[in-house]
């Protein structure tokens, strides 16, 4: 089986992971996306209890949560005491854990990612990362400009399903910069040809190493100001200038 190498840890992981973990109540059900940030969130949850798993992709960090007794599914309201997933990618240890494990259920993506099924979990928390977000809240998570970078995935499904869940939250987590700090991931407008993975109307919480903001109900101006506050300080003045030029401030 193909084995997925764990991403290298970054300096920002701990601050972002701990900030998001504080928003996750005991008894919540989790969906974690791909990459270092969702893994960091999982590692920050080791003092939680009664968590559940309902996720498109099953990854190694979920094995850690289950084996530690943190994610026992005891409070799940949809498939209680079962970790639900559509596909898995990780280490040999993870595949061995999944094999013939009665705690785990795999179902077609059409079932696991159906937003109305996702929303049947109380306190559903969705954590996904993005490559770029513009000042209105549009997330590009699968391309760099017009060049395809990754698959579409279930980010949009979980943004909708988690928000519709009683007590649920959808969180987009990102590092504020890319290319060793040379570029900002928070931009005035997406690159030409960039794919909008999650539209601004579906984005709920956004987190970077500089804080978290809830975009729901905010005007375009309020969104721009809030997202600039999540950018690296060295890019904020330029973002304010460009936001003013395009009428967001």
């Amino acid at each position: 089986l193909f084995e997925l190498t764990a991403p290298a840890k970054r300096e920002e992981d701990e601050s972002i992971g701990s900030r998001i973990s504080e928003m996750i109540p005991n008894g919540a059900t989790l969906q974690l996306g791909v990459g270092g940030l969702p893994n960091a969130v999982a590692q920050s949850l080791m003092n939680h209890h009664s968590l559940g798993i309902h996720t498109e992709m099953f990854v190694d960090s979920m094995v850690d949560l289950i084996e530690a007794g943190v994610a026992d599914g005891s409070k799940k309201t949809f498939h209680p005491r079962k970790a639900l997933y559509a596909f898995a990618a990780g280490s040999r240890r993870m595949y061995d854990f999944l094999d013939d494990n009665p705690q785990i259920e795999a179902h077609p993506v059409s079932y696991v990612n159906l937003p109305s099924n996702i929303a049947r979990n109380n306190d559903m928390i969705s954590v996904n990362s993005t490559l770029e977000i513009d000042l209105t809240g549009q997330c590009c998570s699968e391309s760099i400009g017009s060049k395809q970078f990754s698959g579409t995935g279930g980010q949009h499904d979980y943004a909708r399903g988690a928000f519709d869940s009683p007590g649920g939250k959808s969180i987009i987590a990102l590092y504020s910069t890319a290319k060793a700090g040379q570029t900002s991931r928070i931009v005035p407008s997406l690159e030409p040809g960039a794919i909008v993975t999650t539209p601004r109307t579906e984005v709920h919480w956004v987190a970077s190493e500089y804080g978290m903001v809830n975009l729901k109900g905010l005007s375009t101006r309020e969104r721009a100001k809030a997202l600039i506050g999540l950018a690296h300080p060295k890019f904020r003045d330029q973002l304010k200038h460009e936001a003013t030029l395009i009428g967001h401030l």
Side-chain angles (χ1 to χ4, degrees), residues 46-127:
M46 286 301 173
N47 292 324
H48 281 58
H49 63 81
S50 308
L51 299 179
I53 293 171
H54 180 123
T55 188
E56 178 184 44
M57 181 175 176
F58 195 96
V59 294
D60 277 77
S61 59
M62 295 173 182
V63 179
D64 298 333
L65 291 172
I66 294 171
E67 289 189 334
V70 172
D72 61 9
S74 59
K75 301 294 185 182
K76 281 189 73 183
T77 49
F78 185 57
H79 291 262
R81 294 194 177 275
K82 300 288 186 180
L84 222 66
Y85 79 101
F87 67 92
S91 67
R92 169 59 59 179
R93 166 181 172 252
M94 187 204 69
Y95 295 133
D96 289 342
F97 176 83
L98 291 176
D99 184 38
D100 202 25
N101 188 334
Q103 294 177 273
I104 312 296
E105 287 188 7
H107 289 269
V109 71
S110 58
Y111 181 82
V112 177
N113 282 21
L114 188 68
S116 58
N117 280 343
I118 296 166
R120 291 170 71 179
N121 295 292
N122 290 345
D123 295 316
M124 180 75 207
I125 309 295
S126 165
V127 182

Side-chain angles (χ1 to χ4, degrees), residues 15 23 26 33 53 73 92 117 122 169 230 237:
S15 62
M23 297 189 61
N26 291 319
I53 293 171
R92 169 59 59 179
N117 280 343
N122 290 345
K169 304 181 188 79
L230 298 185
D237 287 344

Side-chain angles (χ1 to χ4, degrees), residues 134-138 200-201 203-204 213-228 243 247-249:
D134 74 11
L135 293 181
T136 70
Q138 295 186 116
R200 62 181 186 164
T201 50
V203 176
H204 190 189
V213 294
N214 180 355
L215 295 187
K216 288 290 189 179
L218 298 188
S219 67
T220 301
R221 179 183 176 85
E222 290 168 334
R223 283 169 175 250
K225 290 176 68 175
L227 288 167
I228 290 170
H248 290 340
L249 289 180

